[in-house]
Amino acid sequence: MGRFSASAKKVSGPRTGAAGRKMPAKSVAERIQRGDLFAVSCPSREVMKHITSSWGVLVLIALRDGTLRFSELRRKVAGVSERMLAQTLQWLEGDGLVERHAYPVVPPHVEYTLTPMGEEAAALVAGLGDWIEQNVTKMPSFRD
Amino acid sequence: MGRFSASAKKVSGPRTGAAGRKMPAKSVAERIQRGDLFAVSCPSREVMKHITSSWGVLVLIALRDGTLRFSELRRKVAGVSERMLAQTLQWLEGDGLVERHAYPVVPPHVEYTLTPMGEEAAALVAGLGDWIEQNVTKMPSFRD
DNA sequence: GTCTATAACTGACTATTAGTAAGTACGCAC
DNA sequence: GTGCGTACTTACTAATAGTCAGTTATAGAC
């Protein structure tokens, strides 16, 4: 990680909190090393969609307890259809956050596990979920 | 906050990380004091939808820099339409995360600011956004 | 005078995605 | 034999995201 130049060091501050500032020109290394949620076509937008989708949030949180089968996930994440669960898991697998392990048996037996990177994401997501659960009762919309 | 009984204290642990465990019976006070993202009809699901929507995430992060006008937000959050921006801000205002201040002038002059509660949510959201930006380049989908 | 730009929405409509229902093959229980 | 469970996929419908046009008043350019 010592590959950054001096100007790269400047940009590596709290980038997200500096959304309103003019971004300094990015070197090629910077462009390759980091996404930018505020850029319309940045791939990070797609990943964010997957992670922050309703089902994505709940699946990541549920998997924090350890490996789960498709049907176990289906039951824990109340309200999700098989269709949406399958799609969500495909996305998260494609993002490298979830590992899928299929056994060569019938009926199908498939297990899903968080990758190390998935565990990081899930921890952040769980923190947000926790915050929402703790604060929802204070919200005006809740009192209506 | 000393109102919780002993059994309530037990439940107040890392609730989100315990998604797989059987939840002990909740007292009335507990039910009123905390939402549950894993319950289909809990209001916290709606709040989560607002906060974790693509535009919700970006608006919250953008407002961390301070008060912004509608048009300023429109420009910072690249790709958002006025329609979606207006709707997102309505949601976040209804959730008590954003304050709207309209001046009695023409053309309209409206400013949006994070509430203290909104600042908490935005900090968590920004942390997640930061993580996504930092890690998107490591993802298999990014390499395809 | 007309035209354009600005601001911050809202309503009508279209496009896209979420969600519903049915289907698949096999083993087991009744 | 029927029904259930498993983990998806396909075809279709419902809901939401997104597009477009409209609103009011003012300032500035022509």
Side-chain angles (χ1 to χ4, degrees):
Chain A
M1 293 297 179
R3 300 175 293 187
F4 292 110
S5 66
S7 81
K9 271 204 165 80
K10 191 167 75 169
V11 180
S12 69
R15 156 84 183 66
T16 309
R21 292 209 285 263
K22 213 84 171 162
M23 294 313 300
K26 294 188 181 179
S27 66
V28 172
E30 285 169 337
R31 256 186 278 126
I32 292 176
Q33 294 305 318
R34 180 171 180 124
D36 173 14
L37 284 173
F38 282 87
V40 177
S41 44
C42 181
S44 58
R45 278 217 176 173
E46 199 64 21
V47 172
M48 179 180 71
K49 270 192 211 157
H50 301 161
I51 295 181
T52 59
S53 66
S54 292
W55 305 126
V57 168
L58 296 176
V59 165
L60 286 169
I61 294 174
L63 284 173
R64 288 187 86 206
D65 283 348
T67 300
L68 291 170
R69 295 185 61 171
F70 187 93
S71 46
E72 289 173 327
L73 271 172
R74 174 93 198 273
R75 283 189 287 272
K76 283 191 172 55
V77 182
V80 74
S81 64
E82 294 174 356
R83 177 96 172 60
M84 296 312 302
L85 181 56
Q87 183 181 297
T88 300
L89 288 165
Q90 270 184 35
W91 282 341
L92 296 179
E93 191 191 355
D95 296 337
L97 303 178
V98 162
E99 261 176 8
R100 177 178 178 277
H101 189 199
Y103 295 79
V105 294
V106 168
H109 180 128
V110 182
E111 295 176 345
Y112 294 89
T113 307
L114 290 176
T115 63
M117 194 161 57
E119 279 173 11
E120 288 176 21
L124 293 170
V125 163
L128 178 60
D130 223 32
W131 185 90
I132 291 172
E133 288 178 334
Q134 281 175 350
N135 288 275
V136 66
T137 55
K138 302 175 196 164
M139 295 179 178
S141 42
F142 183 83
R143 294 162 182 279
D144 295 343
Chain B
M1 292 297 178
R3 299 174 294 187
F4 292 111
S5 66
S7 80
K9 272 209 165 77
K10 193 165 73 170
V11 181
S12 68
R15 155 78 183 73
T16 309
R21 294 206 284 260
K22 213 81 172 171
M23 294 315 298
K26 293 188 180 177
S27 67
V28 172
E30 285 170 336
R31 257 187 279 126
I32 292 178
Q33 294 304 319
R34 183 173 175 124
D36 174 13
L37 284 173
F38 281 87
V40 177
S41 45
C42 182
S44 58
R45 279 217 175 172
E46 199 64 20
V47 172
M48 181 180 71
K49 270 195 212 159
H50 301 160
I51 294 181
T52 59
S53 69
S54 292
W55 306 126
V57 169
L58 296 177
V59 164
L60 286 170
I61 295 175
L63 284 174
R64 288 187 86 208
D65 284 348
T67 299
L68 291 170
R69 294 185 63 170
F70 187 93
S71 45
E72 290 173 327
L73 271 171
R74 173 91 198 275
R75 283 189 285 272
K76 283 191 171 56
V77 182
V80 73
S81 65
E82 295 176 355
R83 179 90 172 66
M84 296 311 302
L85 181 55
Q87 184 181 294
T88 300
L89 288 165
Q90 270 184 34
W91 282 340
L92 297 178
E93 189 189 358
D95 295 338
L97 303 178
V98 163
E99 259 176 11
R100 176 178 179 277
H101 187 200
Y103 294 80
V105 296
V106 170
H109 181 127
V110 182
E111 296 176 344
Y112 294 89
T113 307
L114 289 175
T115 63
M117 197 163 56
E119 279 172 12
E120 287 176 20
L124 292 170
V125 164
L128 177 59
D130 223 33
W131 184 90
I132 291 173
E133 288 177 335
Q134 282 175 348
N135 288 276
V136 66
T137 55
K138 303 176 195 164
M139 296 182 179
S141 41
F142 183 84
R143 296 166 181 277
D144 296 344

